[in-house]
Every structure is written in C-alpha cells, then in structure tokens.
Amino acid sequence: MFKKITAIAVGLTMGAMALVGCSNVDTATTTAAATDAGASGETASAQASTGEKYDIAFIVKSMQSAFFINMTDAAEKCGQDYADKINVEIMAPQTPFNIEEQIQLVEQCITNQVDAIVIAPCDSEGIVPAIEKANDAGIVVVTANTKSNGGDITAYVGVENYDVGYSLATALFDKLGGEGNVILIEGKAGNSTSEERAEGFKAAMENYPGITLLSSQPADWDRASAMTVMENCLQTYDDIDGVLTLTKDMGLGAIEAIKAAGREDEIVSMTFDVDDDVIAALEAGDLYASGNQNEQSQAYIAIMTAVFALDGYEVDDEQILPISVVTLEDFQ
Amino acid sequence: MMRDNGRIYDFSTFFILIAIIIAFSIFGNSFLKAGNISNIINQASFLAIIGVAQLVVILTGGINLSIGSIMALSTVLCGPMMLRESTVPVIVPIILTLVFGSLVGLLNGFMVTKLNIPAFLATFATMYVARGAAWLYIGQGVYYGIKESIRFWATGVLFEVGGFRVTMPMVVVTIFLLIMWFVISKTNLGRRLYFTGSNTTAAEFSGVPTKRIVVIAHVLSGLISGIAGIMYVARINAADANLGTQYHFDAISVALIGGAVMSGGVGSIWGVAGGALIIAVIQSGMNNMQIPSEVQKAFLGVVIIFAVFFNNWFQEKKMKVGDTQPVKTKSEAKA
Amino acid sequence: MNKASKRSLRELVRLLPNSTYIFVVLFIAFVVFIPNFGSATNISSLIGQAAILMILSSAMSVAIITGGIDLSVGGIVSLVGVVMAQLVGHGMNDVMSILLGLAFGCLFGLVNGIVVVKLKVAPFIATFGMQGVAYGLANTLSDSRALYMPDEGVPVIKALQTNLLEWMFPSGNILTISVQVLITIVSLTLLILFFKKTVFGTYIYALGGNREAAKLSNIRTDKWNIMVYVITGLLASVAALLMLLRINSAQPTSGDGLEFQAVVAAVLGGNYLAGGKGSIPGAILGALVVYTVRNGLSLAGVNANMIMVVLGIVLVLGMVMNEVAVRGLSFGDRRKK
C-alpha cells in the first residue's frame, strides 16, 4: 500500500508542476486579465472570451529566433495597446520551424475557440489542412510574414519572399558591377520561405549574365552552420566576389568565416533583416547591405487586420509591405 | 585486455582515415593543399572536444544527449560577462561556464545513479530543460560581440608555414587531448571508468565505487561541454541559446567512428581524435567535390557502420590467431 | 475489502504498464485545472497529435524488448514520405504509391536487420548510421525541397484525410474520429495481436532475455532478429503515411528527432533498454504522456520554452514514479557498498 501512496504523492508533485507551468503563463501572456484587477477568482487565460473582447492567437515559427521574438514583442505591444478590446495569446512550436507541431497549435486554438488566428506558417503548403479546420470552426485566419497556399485566408500581411531574393540579388549584382562569382546561403532545406527567396535570387541572375553562382547550400537559418558552410566555400573557391545569406543570423556567421580567412576586402556580403547586430556589422564595414522587412509592423498590422475583420469591416486580402535594401548611409 | 582493444580500435580508425584521405586526394584536385589541411584540422579540433565529452560517458556504458544544450545554457548564462563592453575579468565567465557545465553534468549523474533513470532518458530530459532554460534566460536575441581575448582562443592564428596555418584551436585541443589522455589512460580514475563500463558487477565486487564513477563521468562530460561551449562561442562571436542543437548527433558520430562501443568499456582519446578528423575530412572532401551536405550525412552513416564492422572483423581475426580466451566482443552484447 | 478481491486488484495493478499511473494522474490534473483540456474537441486532436509517436514508440519497444534499438525510425519517416510523394508526383496511382512506400520501408528495415545480424554491428550503431543514410536519401530524392500533394488524381489520399465520424455535443464541442486515427488504432491492434497470438511475442522476449538459451531451444534467432527490424521499418512507414496526410506534403526533415522521442516514450512506458522486459501498451501510454503534457501546457498558454523545461521535468518524475510503483521507495537499499 505504501508504494501506491508514494506513487500518488509523486503524481501530485507532477500535478503541481503542471500548475507551476500554468501560473507562469498568466504573467507571461498579455491577457488583459492582468490589468483587470477586479476579476477576482476568475480563471485567467482561455475563459476570457466572455464579453466584447476578441481572443486572438498569434502563432510564429519559433520562439528560438530573434526575428520571431521581434514579431511576438510587437504582438504583445498590440495586445497591450488595445487591452480593452483584444486578448493576444502568443504561441510557437517547441521544435523551431516544425510544421507538424504548428498544426497542433492551430488545433489547440480551435479547442480554445479563439476568434482569430494570426499565423506565420512554417510551411505554406503543410499548414493548409489546419487552416481549413480553423475555417470550419468559423475562426478568422490572417497570415503574417509567410503565405498559406490554401484555405480561406482573410488577409496576408508581409513581404513577397520571391521579391526578397530578387531585390537583394539585384542589389548585390549591381554592387559587383554585373560581373563575378557569388555564393548563396539558404535557410532550411525544404522550407518554403527559403525556397521562394532562392527562386527570386535565381531569377535575378538571368538579368546578369556575368554572374556565376558557385554554390548554393542550406545552413538551417543557423549562425554556426552558416559559418561552417562559408569556411568550406572559402576553402574550395579562390575567387569569391559576393555572398548573400537569406537571414541575418546566417549572415553574421558567414562574416565571421570570411574575416577569419582574411578575405573581407575582396568579398561583398549581404544579408536580410536588420537589428542592432546587423547595424554594428554595417558600421564595421563587414556587411555591405541588408534588406529590411520590418517584421514588427507585419505582426502589428496583421493583428489589427484580424480585429477589423472581426468587427465586420472589409479588409484588403493582400497587404504587401515594401522591402528596402539598406546600407550604412541609411543609419547615419 | 582492455588496453589491447583500445589499441586495435585506434589503429583501425586511423586506417580508415588514411583510406579516406587517399580516396579524396585522387578525386578532388585541391584537396591536399596545405591551406585545406589546416582548415580540416581546425574544424576537427572543435569536433574532438564534443567527441571527448561524449566518450567519457560512453566509457561507463551511458550516453549524453544533452551536450549541445549544456553548451548553450552554460555560455548563455555567462554571455553578458563575455561581451566586449563588459569590465569583468575574462577568467570569471570562463570559470563560471565550466562550473555551470559541471553542475548540469552533476544533475545528470544524480538522476542516473540515485534515481535509477537510464542515461538515455535522463540526459534527454536535461537536453529539453537546459535548452528551454537557456531561452527563458536570454529572452531575446543573442549576446553578440565577444571579447577579443576570448575570441583569440578559437580564432587566433599563431604562424603560417607554407600555407599551413597553425591556429589556436589546434594548440588548445592538442593540450586538451593530452590531458584527457593522461586522465583516462594513466590515472586510477581512468582505469575505473573503463572497468565500470566493461563489467559493472565485477567492478563493484573489486571495490570500485561504480555509482560515484558514473557521476564523475557525467560531471566531466558537463565540464568538457562547457569548454566546448566557450570555444564555439568564441568562434562564432556570439553567445546564442541556439548553440549546438544537433551536436548530440555529432558527438555520438565522432565517438562511434573513433571506436567507442555503446555498452561501455571500449574507446580511446586518440580514437576520438581520429573520428573527428574523419568527419572533418569527409565534410571538406565532399564539399570539394561539390557533393551536397545531405549526401555527406548519408556517407557518414555508411562510414560509421563500416568502421564498426571493420573493428569487429579485425578483432575477431586477432583473437583467432592469439587469444585463446573466448571473449565475446562488446559490440555483440548490445548497445 | 476481502482477501481475494484484494489479490485480484493487486494482480490487475501488476499487469498495467507502469506509465498508466503517470498518464492517469496527469490527465486528471489537466482536466481539473486546464480549461477546455477535457473537451471532446481537444481529446480528438490530442489523439490525432499523439498518433505518430504512438506508432513509433510501439515499434521502438519491439526493438528494445529484444535488447536492440532502432534509431533510424525518424529517418524512415522522412524517407518513406518522400518516396510516396515522389511516386504520386510522377503520376502513379495513390494506392500503389502508398503500398510501394510501405514496402520500401520494410526493405529499409531489412537492411537494418542484415547489418545488425549478419554484419554483427551493434543495433545502436547500425541504426544510427542507417539514420544518416535515410536522411541523405530523403534529401537527395526530394532535392531538399518539400513535395506537395496534387489537388486532383489522389482520391484515396484525399479520403484518408477526412473524418470518419463527427459527433457534435450540445456545448458546441465536436468529437471527431479521423481516418488517420483509425489507421493508428488498426495498426496498433494488429501489432499487439501479432505479439500476443503468435510465437513472435514469445521469441522476442526470449531474444532479449537470454539469446544463447533461445538459440539452444531451436529458435532461429537470426531470422527473428531481422524480422524485428522489418517490423519497425514497416511501422515507421505507417507513421510516414500519417505524417504525409497530416502535413499534406512530404518534407525531407519531417522525421528529424522523432527517433529520440520514440525511445523516450518507450522507456517512460516501462521498457528497459537492456532488453527482455517491457510492453507495447506501455510504450503507447508513454507517447500519450508526452503529448498530454505538451497539449495541456500549450492549451494553458505556457511559453514554448517553458514547456520544454516542464516536459523534461515530467519525464524525470515519470521515471521516478515508475520506479516507485514497481519497487517502492527503496533507492537507498539497492545501493551496494
């Protein structure tokens, strides 16, 4: 009997663990319940759909990426700015960029009967069945940053990833004077964002017959992997004129490899996305230029679009934000 | 007996290494250039550290899936102190990183010995907990811009001879391997590590405190993960909670190619060094031949199987000639 | 309570897999504390989410009971998914594509078995290496790109993605049983029946318990050992099919890391890595525990990084609980000095 009792005791500890998890939530998410001090005894989070407030789930691709944390910060801010109207809950798959886990999150939103889902899909095609389920449950779906190839999407807010690749490549090739050997470091193999940007890059190459693509390899959106890929390229090719990495984490990794090889003067580096580290690299002259897609605005506008749609207003179903190629001059 | 096995494994690892190098120098044109060899050895240095972190646990018959997570957590915790603008003396974050790494290792050891949780599950749990904790701590972004005095250890170039660059990682790792070789092959602790792994019951009967040895192995593994963490952070110039998400794979590959046997008791430091070199050679050689990185992983898989098969075959052959004792090969027992 | 019923109760408790306790305790705690967790809608999605891991962990437990392990299941999930999608993409009939995909998985398992049994490479190493091979093949065959299902011409795949049954509760909750869940239930039932009703089960335990004795009692150990890896290959291919249906595409990375999760779920379910002990239902419950924690905490809105931490701790506590349930609080006694 004693064994069973101890087993139950351990079990209760586990239950308590779960509660620790839960109580942690309430401080972490931006439920307006926190400001609503009078709500005594009311269980927070999910139940808040009573009244006028909209429950909006904001799902990103990873909580382990500075880029998406910028987006969630903006989403959180939006939740605070309109605390009397919306309730924003932030979610992300545990395994970064895992489409299967992201589908699980959408299913959970359906269970929680949220009013709208704002999502940056890990894969444009893979997310479709989940979005169709959400549509069936009458939930408004807005995509931000990355499109969905199907389902009933109220609006898309973001850039065209194809254009990202195209405009960055064009800027790089112009800088090189239309002549030279370039390297492209892609994101995760099979990831649609990475593929679309790479397609844009290759399309731009057609306008520049003097450009040769030496190598195009994936580095999993990861700094250390990009560094290894770049080191190997530096070793293999004696004549490299330009490098484009499809996000800044990889960009900063590639720069380290180039600097370690002492070839920063002969290679023009470009990347995508802007933050303090990128500005520092621009200032140091390690980076020639980067692309800015303003992910914070994407998140904020996407949530507001969902709110407008819920209020019954007509919203534009494609809200393409401009991409700007920024160089050091833009920050001086 | 154990010592002999170790030698056979070392030998066959280097045999495979040489075979691969010959193959690549035939097919790839610039493969044997001094600059390229220097690059390969430099990359292998980093792999060797995580390989040793895995080896010390495998020797006792365990496994450590949390190496990459320990690297991330221990360095992220000390990240702010490693930044250029920090005024804290360099030695403080370095010591603290090693302490944090050892503490996580201690936790692993505690779970394995006191709570009787298999190392596979215990370290898997740590992999999750440490990675999650690293992200919760760092919250956002990375600590970018590491002090030059730390970066020097992983990026410094000492001198260049005919295109061959002698880098700091090579020196650091050579010294590290020598120390570890001494600890594992020449000290009482090392002998006990092997003994515990090859036959726990017998070791216990001859007075070896096997549980304590297992705990020490995990602490050592955590400590070495901390060293690896510092080296990688210095290399990529940033402390990042994403560091080493796949390094448990790399660490296992290095140790296995280096002749370690999952059930414990077999493996050596020089085998690991050879394993690290083999992986670096394969990566570089196949890049040279324009073979995509995914195919490299497949090739590596075949090499792992082949290396072990070759080791077994070699050992059986040797036993038929000399040893009359019917010793069952360790790998046959089960992983 | 009289003596007889007490004994039969004890007998029943003994028969239950260890992971039952963790599962029951967690489940009840979550139903009580997390709103919507116990709703029909959520239970339906929880089962759908856990399906892939349930199949993989039960496959893993078959390998583990023999004292082996199959670390290539994650690779097979990616590879077989890519194979099926490529066949469909090249205009093959979808039923044939699925069947060929399953056959390919068996073939891959057969290679695993041969490497383990004939080349005498330890299972951990053999399947770890084959995992790399599967990963490389999956990426090569797909050119490292996601392969999408065509919208037309795949009636069977479309049919497999539908729901078998939907039951609307007055509260607005919907209990759905999808074809995918049905596939899972059928596969697992067949596996358990095969295990219990044929000599397979007995032989498997014999292989893990004492291989020499098994050999002496005229069990063709080599044949059965290879068979084990063919079965894990087949089950991993079924998981690949489920993944394909779920994410409506095949991705060369879809199986990454699943092998470790499968081992963890199996061990949590009371399978011993040393072999000879363990059960398939235990492994299934182990997988359910993992997904109950994930689903519950995520439903409660816990930060994804916090879930990782809590999941790790629950795994450890779960193992402690297994130990306690089996042996009582005797950690101290078993320490030898």
Side-chain angles (χ1 to χ4, degrees), chain A residues 123-314:
Chain A
D123 186 83
S124 300
E125 192 72 35
I127 199 68
V128 174
I131 288 182
E132 283 168 351
K133 270 191 209 170
N135 291 149
D136 290 345
I139 296 172
V140 167
V141 180
V142 172
T143 50
N145 181 269
T146 307
K147 286 185 178 175
S148 161
N149 289 351
D152 185 9
I153 305 295
T154 305
Y156 166 71
V157 181
V159 295
E160 289 279 9
N161 276 313
Y162 178 88
D163 291 349
V164 170
Y166 191 88
S167 53
L168 288 174
T170 306
L172 176 65
F173 301 157
D174 281 342
K175 170 77 179 170
L176 295 175
E179 293 280 331
N181 299 322
V182 295
I183 282 170
L184 175 65
I185 299 184
E186 300 176 36
K188 205 171 172 60
N191 175 279
S192 54
T193 305
S194 175
E195 283 174 22
E196 285 161 21
R197 290 183 189 172
E199 273 167 31
F201 180 94
K202 281 161 192 163
M205 271 188 65
E206 313 221 321
N207 305 332
Y208 293 86
I211 296 286
T212 314
L213 180 61
L214 293 175
S215 178
S216 172
Q217 287 187 42
D220 298 349
W221 308 117
D222 176 69
R223 187 185 297 241
S225 310
M227 189 171 176
T228 310
V229 167
M230 193 62 214
E231 274 178 352
N232 291 331
C233 289
L234 286 164
Q235 209 39 249
T236 313
Y237 306 105
D238 293 328
D239 184 17
I240 302 173
D241 302 298
V243 176
L244 176 64
T245 45
L246 292 180
T247 54
K248 65 169 171 27
D249 280 333
M250 298 194 295
L252 295 167
I255 289 172
E256 293 304 332
I258 295 172
K259 284 203 291 188
R263 287 165 70 174
E264 60 267 38
D265 292 334
E266 53 184 279
I267 299 175
V268 177
S269 303
M270 277 184 62
T271 187
F272 190 57
D273 293 332
V274 174
D275 68 355
D276 293 345
D277 298 346
V278 171
I279 296 173
L282 287 168
E283 280 169 352
D286 297 334
L287 203 58
Y288 158 62
S290 185
N292 190 3
Q293 65 169 321
N294 225 327
E295 61 273 20
Q296 291 92 341
S297 312
Q298 290 178 11
Y300 206 103
I301 295 171
I303 293 176
M304 291 319 291
T305 305
V307 174
F308 290 145
L310 287 170
D311 280 342
Y313 294 105
E314 193 119 318

Side-chain angles (χ1 to χ4, degrees), chain B residues 171-188:
Chain B
V171 177
V172 171
V173 170
T174 309
I175 295 171
F176 166 77
L177 290 177
L178 281 171
I179 296 174
M180 286 311 295
W181 168 76
F182 181 78
V183 171
I184 284 188
S185 310
K186 298 291 165 197
T187 65
N188 204 16

Side-chain angles (χ1 to χ4, degrees), chain A residues 2-4 6-8 10-15 17-22 24-26 28-29 43-47 63-64 89-95 98-101 103-105 107-113 123-129 133 149 186 188-192 195 198 202 218, chain C residues 13 21-22 25-26 29-30 33-37 39 41-42 45 49 52 139 144-146 148-149 151 161 171-173 243 245-249 251-254 256 261 291 294-295 297-308 310-311 313-314 317-318 320-321 324-329:
Chain A
F2 177 67
K3 293 177 193 173
K4 295 291 156 333
T6 35
I8 290 163
V10 176
L12 287 176
T13 326
M14 287 169 56
M17 277 302 309
L19 283 182
V20 170
C22 300
N24 208 301
V25 187
D26 300 357
T29 53
T43 44
S45 69
Q47 295 289 12
M63 281 290 218
Q64 310 194 345
E89 191 174 343
I90 290 161
M91 302 170 128
Q94 260 170 62
T95 316
N98 186 309
I99 179 66
E100 209 277 324
E101 286 181 25
I103 292 173
Q104 295 170 19
L105 295 176
E107 288 174 348
Q108 276 157 31
C109 292
I110 297 171
T111 301
N112 273 342
Q113 295 164 352
D123 186 83
S124 300
E125 192 72 35
I127 199 68
V128 174
K133 270 191 209 170
N149 289 351
E186 300 176 36
K188 205 171 172 60
N191 175 279
S192 54
E195 283 174 22
K202 281 161 192 163
Chain C
V13 167
Y21 309 109
I22 323 161
V25 169
L26 272 176
F30 282 5
F33 293 114
I34 299 175
N36 290 338
F37 178 82
S39 70
T41 315
N42 191 51
S45 54
Q49 290 162 10
I52 293 170
N139 276 281
S144 292
R145 312 220 170 264
Y148 301 129
M149 286 293 115
D151 285 332
Q161 282 174 319
S171 63
N173 268 309
M243 183 69 91
L245 297 174
R246 209 169 143 71
I247 63 178
N248 199 29
S249 56
Q251 301 202 351
T253 53
S254 60
D256 285 9
Q261 290 182 30
Y291 272 91
R294 276 193 175 175
N295 173 296
L297 294 184
S298 175
L299 206 57
V302 180
N303 172 305
N305 294 320
M306 193 64 195
I307 295 180
M308 280 183 94
V310 178
L311 187 56
I313 295 170
V314 168
L317 287 177
V320 172
M321 209 165 148
V324 171
V326 178
R327 299 206 182 91
L329 268 184

Side-chain angles (χ1 to χ4, degrees), chain C residues 147-158:
Chain C
L147 302 170
Y148 301 129
M149 286 293 115
D151 285 332
E152 279 159 23
V154 283
V156 176
I157 287 181
K158 290 278 171 242

Side-chain angles (χ1 to χ4, degrees), chain C residues 3-17:
Chain C
K3 230 173 188 174
S5 71
K6 217 172 184 177
R7 187 180 302 145
S8 64
L9 189 70
R10 195 174 296 161
E11 193 70 2
L12 181 71
V13 167
R14 202 181 59 79
L15 280 174
L16 288 171

Side-chain angles (χ1 to χ4, degrees), chain B residues 7 43 58 87 184-185 200 203 206 252 286 293 306-307 315:
Chain B
R7 277 204 199 119
Q43 284 179 3
I58 290 184
T87 50
I184 284 188
S185 310
T200 315
S206 31
I252 295 171
M286 294 187 93
S293 57
F306 177 74
Q315 202 176 20

